[in-house]
Amino acid sequence: MTAEIRRKTIVIGATGGMGSAVALDRARQGDVLALIGRDHSRLAQIAQKIGEKHEKPGVLTVDLGDMKSCARCINETVELMDGLDTLIFCAGAHVRGRTIEAHLQSWDHVLDVNFRAFVHLVRAGIGRINGSGHGAVIAIGSITPAYAGAGMNLAAKRALGGFCETLFDDVREFGTKVSVIHPGFVATSMSASPRLQSDLMIQPDDISAAVGFILQTASTACPTEIVIRPQRSPYK
């Protein structure tokens, strides 16, 4: 990686705590940005905030449960930024339900948003990403333990990691980096609980720093998996 490269970056799930932190940090680094999410009003607010100090990002509203919309989103992003070399996937849905009682529709939604959308986005954009010679695909996974009711969350996250493992071997000769960041508890609304102290959790800026580390890694190396845990236990 050289300092002269100005990345053209798409951040999917940019309205979440981690996604918005990643988007802001990439804007600080001078990336041309497109922000993707389902809440247009929230996306516009984040884009406006970034635009106060940096180049204002483009905004695209996408339903990640609709695979055709995912492919269309990539095409629109390429047109908006006149290219694409970096895809950062921060989107996620979460549902708890034991196998004997879970609603299959909610399980399908988790699988669609947490895994299938990523696959469709990557498939639609990988040609452009590889063609840049300095491409990157980064996904935010999680440390998801096995416990009653976590079945589909765990399955989707393991599928995400497994796909990225093979994706790296598919694209490494193009110079494209592929990495999954697996954090423990991150101080976002999704992890909010009276049993947890947010100030002891991983902070969203810690995740954006890990993304930056991956993108700054020399062309001779790729950190394919990063596990981040809270330094101190956040449990009260």
Side-chain angles (χ1 to χ4, degrees), residues 142-209:
S142 72
I143 301 172
T144 304
Y147 61 87
M152 192 48 61
N153 303 316
L154 179 60
K157 292 300 184 182
R158 288 190 177 176
L160 182 74
F163 176 70
C164 286
E165 269 191 80
T166 58
L167 177 63
F168 174 66
D169 277 319
D170 287 342
V171 303
R172 63 194 302 178
E173 301 303 333
F174 294 96
T176 299
K177 296 185 186 301
V178 179
S179 186
V180 185
I181 299 170
H182 292 296
F185 288 117
V186 182
T188 67
S189 59
M190 190 174 287
S191 297
S193 167
R195 299 175 58 212
L196 297 168
Q197 295 177 255
S198 61
D199 60 326
L200 293 182
M201 294 184 193
I202 300 160
Q203 300 301 303
D205 285 347
D206 299 329
I207 303 302
S208 63

Side-chain angles (χ1 to χ4, degrees), residues 33-76:
L33 280 177
L35 309 183
I36 309 300
R38 63 182 178 180
D39 186 337
H40 181 78
S41 175
R42 177 69 177 142
L43 284 173
Q45 290 175 6
I46 294 169
Q48 184 64 37
K49 179 180 178 181
I50 291 174
E52 291 173 2
K53 294 184 178 180
H54 312 284
E55 182 176 333
K56 188 174 180 179
V59 167
L60 292 172
T61 306
V62 176
D63 176 8
L64 293 178
D66 181 346
M67 299 307 124
K68 290 183 179 178
S69 293
C70 291
R72 187 167 59 249
C73 154
I74 292 295
N75 294 333
E76 292 175 357

